[in-house]
Amino acid sequence: MKKELVPMEHLNIGEFNRGQASKLIRGLAENDKTAFIQKNGKPIAVVISYE
């Protein structure tokens, strides 16, 4: 069974700096999603659900 392709979310590094990292990562993991982490509008990292 082929997995459906969905666009990646784009999260700002500022959200992680404001103490939201745990909440954001938990949300991505629970929904089996992937997200770009951006700084000044440019991707600097990717967070991928383990599943």
Side-chain angles (χ1 to χ4, degrees):
M1 181 181 207
K2 189 173 181 180
K3 192 170 185 177
E4 179 183 335
L5 298 176
V6 294
M8 280 197 222
E9 291 188 37
H10 292 84
L11 303 173
N12 190 308
I13 191 71
E15 296 176 64
F16 285 84
N17 292 338
R18 286 190 292 272
Q20 298 294 315
S22 179
K23 178 182 174 184
L24 294 169
I25 291 171
R26 187 173 41 252
L28 292 169
E30 287 173 356
N31 296 304
D32 194 24
K33 291 190 173 185
T34 303
F36 284 112
I37 309 303
Q38 295 181 315
K39 182 176 183 179
N40 299 324
K42 296 181 182 179
I44 60 169
V46 176
V47 177
I48 301 171
S49 167
Y50 184 73
E51 294 298 317

